[in-house]
Amino acid sequence: QEQLVESGGAVVQPEESLKLSCTASGFIFSYYSIHWVRQAPGKGLEWVALISYDGNKKYYADSVKGRFTMSRDNSKSTLYLQMNSLKPEDTAVYYCAKRFGVAFDVWGQGTRVTVSS
Amino acid sequence: QSALTQPASVSGSPGQSVTISCTGSSSDVGDYNYVSWYAHHPDKAPKLIISDVTTRPSGVSARFSGSKSGNTATLTISGLQAADEADYYCSSYRTNNTWVFGGGTKLTVL
C-alpha cells in the first residue's frame, strides 16, 4: 500500500539547521509531486512547500521562503526538507503528503521539530 | 497567508447529521473548485475524505459529502458514528501553486 514515512525531527536551538527526510513506498515516487505540511502545537495544519515530480519546480509558503529548501532523490524514493535559521514558530509536527490532483491523498505520520533555547 | 475560517467545534448525536463550514476568499475557495477535506484522528495520519469540492475518494463512506457556495465550502457528515469523532480540516488551492488550510474543527459525537 502507498506509504510515506518522515524522519529527522529533533530539538534544536533558534538559528540552527535541521534536515527532514520523507521516504515513500508502494507507489512510483518519481511520478508524483510531494508537499510538506506542518502542525504547530494546538494549531491547525499549515501548508509549507511543494516539489514537482522531477524536482525542477519548488514552491514555498511565505513563512518559510528563503529559509527552507525542498529536494528529492527519486533513485531513493526520498524527499528532503532542509530547514535553516529555525525560529521558535517553526516548532511543529511536519508531514509529507503526496499530491493527488489538487489534494493530498497519502500522508505520513509526521516527525516532530522543536525549536527552543 | 490567512487561514481559511472553520468553526472551532461542532457536535452531534449518533445518527444525526452535522455540517462544517470553511470560509475563504475570492483568491481561494471562491475562485477554484479545489477544496478538499481531511479527517485527522489523534496520532494518526490525516485522511483525505473529499477532493475537488464534492469528490469522494474510493473507500470513503457516502455519509461524507461536500458542497460550495461562493467563498464558503461545507462538509456534511450524515448518520454520525462514534468513529467519526476527529479533527476536520478544509484546504483550498490558492494562486501560484500555493495552498491554504483551515484552522480545523473538532467534531464530538455525543
Side-chain angles (χ1 to χ4, degrees):
Chain A
Q1 96 244 32
E2 299 181 341
Q3 191 173 8
L4 294 168
V5 178
E6 304 91 341
S7 61
V11 178
V12 297
Q13 297 196 340
E15 294 304 315
E16 289 188 340
S17 297
L18 191 65
K19 189 172 187 177
L20 305 183
S21 300
C22 166
T23 301
S25 60
F27 63 95
I28 303 175
F29 182 71
S30 61
Y31 282 14
Y32 293 94
S33 300
I34 307 287
H35 299 267
W36 283 100
V37 177
R38 68 185 180 182
Q39 183 174 30
K43 303 290 186 180
L45 299 172
E46 179 189 11
W47 178 80
V48 173
L50 167 69
I51 189 168
S52 62
Y53 68 98
D54 58 2
N56 287 338
K57 296 180 181 178
K58 304 166 191 180
Y59 307 92
Y60 300 94
D62 288 344
S63 57
V64 306
K65 201 173 293 183
R67 300 187 300 121
F68 289 15
T69 303
M70 282 187 80
S71 60
R72 63 191 295 161
D73 184 340
N74 284 345
S75 69
K76 296 181 178 179
S77 296
T78 301
L79 178 76
Y80 304 100
L81 183 67
Q82 176 67 46
M83 304 186 294
N84 298 330
S85 303
L86 281 162
K87 305 176 182 181
E89 52 264 40
D90 295 319
T91 294
V93 175
Y94 284 73
Y95 299 94
C96 54
K98 174 174 155 280
R99 181 175 179 170
F100 175 72
V102 201
F104 311 71
D105 73 331
V106 179
W107 297 65
Q109 298 270 36
T111 187
R112 189 176 302 275
V113 174
T114 302
V115 184
S116 174
S117 53
Chain B
Q1 293 167 332
S2 302
L4 306 176
T5 300
Q6 298 181 232
S9 64
V10 298
S11 63
S13 299
Q16 288 186 332
S17 294
V18 295
T19 61
I20 299 173
S21 60
C22 169
T23 301
S25 69
S26 57
S27 298
D28 39 63
V29 176
D31 206 26
Y32 301 96
N33 287 323
Y34 293 146
V35 176
S36 51
W37 290 90
Y38 304 86
H40 193 191
H41 292 85
D43 299 322
K44 291 194 172 183
K47 177 186 176 183
L48 174 66
I49 54 174
I50 296 286
S51 65
D52 300 339
V53 179
T54 62
T55 302
R56 266 190 324 275
S58 174
V60 173
S61 171
R63 297 185 300 105
F64 294 89
S65 62
S67 62
K68 191 188 88 167
S69 177
N71 294 338
T72 298
T74 301
L75 173 70
T76 300
I77 309 172
S78 59
L80 266 182
Q81 299 177 359
D84 297 332
E85 193 161 282
D87 294 327
Y88 289 83
Y89 292 90
C90 61
S91 175
S92 176
Y93 177 78
R94 192 177 260 183
T95 53
N96 298 322
N97 277 289
T98 62
W99 278 256
V100 61
F101 282 90
T105 298
K106 182 176 181 61
L107 169 63
T108 300
V109 180
L110 302 171

